[in-house]
Amino acid sequence: MITLHTLASGSEGNSLLVSADGTHLLVDAGISARRIKQSLALLGLTPDDLSAILISHEHTDHTAGLATLLKHHPIPLYATGGTAFYLRPRLPQLDSCLRPVSPGSSFPVGSAQVTVFATSHDAGESVDYRVDCGDAAVGILTDTGFVPEPAAAALTGVDLLVLESNHDVEWLRSGPYPYSLKQRILGQRGHLSNEDAAAFARRMAECGTRCIVLAHLSRENNTPQRALAVMETALSGLDVTGKLVLVDINQRDEWWINYPVYQAHLKGAAALIAVQSGGYGEIDDEALNAQDIAGPEDAPAFSISTILFTSDVKPQLPAIIGLRNSSPMYFVFKLAIMIYFNS
């Protein structure tokens, strides 16, 4: 199984951790080494537990903590030759830990198989990565002005996709950025807009991707709400027959949980996972709390409103699982449960 933790995302720093059966891959190190260590500690890990560091490109928001991290921990570093060229003046120890990669290549790291693909960004030789382990796969696509076809091909079929949704085009055009910076962001070697991200997300969803995490949102030219709204519009017409549907819901402020359950059932969904940010099933944070959901006999469902989920509990489909989004394991359990349902 693969899990993914986002340590930081945005213009001020990017880093995430992909773990696959004991293999831990740090993808980019755009925050301080201290923050990376603190984040790993929350997961019960240290830098010495890292199997490798995968670098997408040399920009500071992806490499800020790299020098200090490598100074104290000789971790294998995978990067393209173009990226290494620009990193070398900043990293005296680079060549001792560098493992050069090229777009289109694939290599094993422990239990994981890593695939490299080119992106289109104003950097030396930018790339992103797909990580496979057994039947599970995650993909990462950020810092690209458009989606090159080799990238789309490499990402097809991943279970979880971390996808850049950087800016709203009109907000950017009318915002305070200098004209030159606006043109850079909007260009073919810039960043994906909400609309471009949504279009690609739909394409990937139609190919089987079950979970999409939006990343690298601009603080000045975007909001999570705006990016999500554009994404929801693009995905609203998808055929969910026989598929697993994920819904984020708050029963206190939005609709009652029966509605999305029954709507998913009517449209032929195999099951529905509801991530509950609020609701009446939240009885005790430390207990496994089941909540009955009234519905027709042909659409049985129930809810579990805590992150405690073990191999002893496998609900009959169709079913509904709730996770608290205040938990640091929120996104990890989204992916873990999706993979679990298909096992």
Side-chain angles (χ1 to χ4, degrees), residues 215-227:
H216 216 309
L217 275 67
S218 168
R219 180 178 296 180
E220 292 78 13
N221 303 299
N222 209 356
T223 64
Q225 294 78 13
R226 177 58 181 161

Side-chain angles (χ1 to χ4, degrees), residues 33-113:
R34 180 180 180 181
R35 281 186 61 190
I36 292 172
K37 291 179 181 179
Q38 289 173 340
S39 298
L40 292 176
L42 292 174
L43 302 172
L45 300 171
T46 72
D48 293 327
D49 294 312
L50 295 177
S51 307
I53 300 174
L54 312 179
I55 296 297
S56 62
H57 62 291
E58 72 274 10
H59 290 170
T60 305
D61 61 325
H62 292 259
T63 60
L66 202 52
T68 302
L69 197 60
L70 292 180
K71 181 179 180 180
H72 300 286
H73 307 277
I75 306 164
L77 177 75
Y78 291 83
T80 62
T83 295
F85 176 82
Y86 288 99
L87 286 177
R88 193 165 282 109
R90 291 185 266 152
L91 300 175
Q93 65 276 58
L94 177 64
D95 289 325
S96 64
C97 58
L98 179 64
R99 309 289 190 272
V101 298
S102 58
S105 63
S106 182
F107 55 91
V109 180
S111 302
Q113 185 70 24

Side-chain angles (χ1 to χ4, degrees), residues 156-172:
T156 297
V158 297
D159 301 287
L160 181 148
L161 174 63
V162 178
L163 178 62
E164 174 175 62
S165 189
N166 180 257
H167 59 275
D168 178 279
V169 172
E170 293 307 316
W171 291 8
L172 175 60

Side-chain angles (χ1 to χ4, degrees), residues 73-266:
H73 307 277
I75 306 164
L77 177 75
Y78 291 83
T80 62
T83 295
F85 176 82
Y86 288 99
L87 286 177
R88 193 165 282 109
R90 291 185 266 152
L91 300 175
Q93 65 276 58
L94 177 64
D95 289 325
S96 64
C97 58
L98 179 64
R99 309 289 190 272
V101 298
S102 58
S105 63
S106 182
F107 55 91
V109 180
S111 302
Q113 185 70 24
V114 181
T115 300
V116 188
F117 54 88
T119 57
S120 179
H121 198 48
D122 56 350
E125 189 181 9
S126 62
V127 294
D128 266 322
Y129 301 93
R130 169 179 174 145
V131 179
D132 288 78
C133 180
D135 294 330
V138 301
I140 302 155
L141 182 63
T142 66
D143 293 77
T144 189
F146 71 100
V147 183
E149 277 306 313
L155 292 169
T156 297
V158 297
D159 301 287
L160 181 148
L161 174 63
V162 178
L163 178 62
E164 174 175 62
S165 189
N166 180 257
H167 59 275
D168 178 279
V169 172
E170 293 307 316
W171 291 8
L172 175 60
R173 285 176 174 163
S174 61
Y177 280 6
Y179 177 78
S180 59
L181 180 54
K182 292 179 182 180
Q183 292 304 107
R184 169 185 171 270
I185 295 171
L186 292 168
Q188 292 287 285
R189 302 187 68 198
H191 293 276
L192 286 181
S193 68
N194 291 338
E195 291 75 13
D196 289 339
F200 185 64
R202 179 170 182 128
R203 177 178 172 181
M204 290 295 99
E206 290 171 342
C207 294
T209 297
R210 297 171 178 83
C211 185
I212 296 169
V213 178
L214 301 184
H216 216 309
L217 275 67
S218 168
R219 180 178 296 180
E220 292 78 13
N221 303 299
N222 209 356
T223 64
Q225 294 78 13
R226 177 58 181 161
L228 183 60
V230 175
M231 188 65 62
E232 287 176 341
T233 299
L235 298 177
S236 61
L238 283 175
D239 178 13
V240 300
T241 304
K243 298 178 181 178
L244 188 63
V245 178
L246 179 65
V247 175
D248 198 336
I249 188 171
N250 183 327
Q251 291 188 93
R252 297 185 186 278
D253 302 326
E254 300 170 359
W255 55 67
W256 186 245
I257 205 165
N258 302 58
Y259 178 77
V261 171
Y262 193 51
Q263 289 300 310
H265 167 69
L266 290 178

